[in-house]
Amino acid sequence: MWLIYATLYGMKKEVRKNSHLSFTEQVYQQLLRVPKGKVTTYSALAKAVNSKAIRAVGSAMRKNPLPIIVPCHRVVKSTGEIGQYALGGPQVKAELLRQEGIDIENGNVQNLAQYLFDFSED
C-alpha cells in the first residue's frame, strides 16, 4: 500500500529503485506508468516485471485496492479483448477506456497497436 501513497506524493521515481517490492507492488508500479489513452496487456505487464506469470498479473488486477488510481482498467488481453473488471464488469471497463479516447467495439480495443503502451520508453 505504501507504493500507492508514495506515487501519489510524487515519489514514483524513488520507489521504482526499490528491489524489495512484492510481485503485486511491482505490477502496480509498472501499471502506474501507463498513461490515459493507452493500454497494456497482461502479458506485457508480466514482462515489464521480468516475469512470465500472466495469470498472477490478472490476480493482482482483481485485488487492486485503488482501481482508479492504479488504473487496472487499462489492462487488456493480448487479443484486444477488454476482459473483466472488478468494479462493474466489462461494460464499466469499456466506458472508462472510451472516456480516455480508446476505441472499443464489441468488447475489443480496435487497432490495439495504436493504443499499446511501450514499457521500454521512459
Side-chain angles (χ1 to χ4, degrees):
M1 194 62 130
W2 65 269
L3 167 68
I4 294 166
Y5 295 117
T7 301
L8 290 175
Y9 290 103
M11 301 183 303
K12 187 160 76 168
K13 294 287 185 191
E14 290 82 0
V15 171
R16 191 176 298 161
K17 295 175 184 174
N18 286 327
S19 60
H20 61 280
L21 299 175
S22 72
F23 176 81
T24 298
E25 289 172 326
Q26 290 177 53
V27 169
Y28 293 162
Q29 176 187 41
Q30 292 302 311
L31 183 54
L32 286 167
R33 296 176 56 204
V34 180
K36 288 182 181 178
K38 293 288 185 179
V39 295
T40 188
T41 64
Y42 295 98
S43 59
L45 201 46
K47 185 177 178 183
V49 297
N50 298 313
S51 176
K52 294 181 181 180
I54 298 166
R55 287 180 176 223
V57 169
S59 179
M61 296 304 100
R62 269 190 308 282
K63 296 175 184 175
N64 182 354
L66 298 169
I68 298 298
I69 295 169
V70 180
C72 57
H73 66 280
R74 295 185 189 143
V75 183
V76 301
K77 297 180 180 184
S78 297
T79 61
E81 183 183 341
I82 62 169
Q84 295 297 315
Y85 187 57
L87 291 180
Q91 297 85 2
V92 172
K93 185 174 185 175
E95 185 55 32
L96 288 169
L97 292 171
R98 282 189 194 101
Q99 289 176 9
E100 294 185 359
I102 308 232
D103 186 16
I104 306 292
E105 289 184 27
N106 299 319
N108 289 283
V109 175
Q110 301 301 297
N111 194 7
L112 179 60
Q114 173 185 346
Y115 299 108
L116 203 55
F117 177 74
D118 184 354
F119 283 101
S120 67
E121 296 177 4
D122 193 21

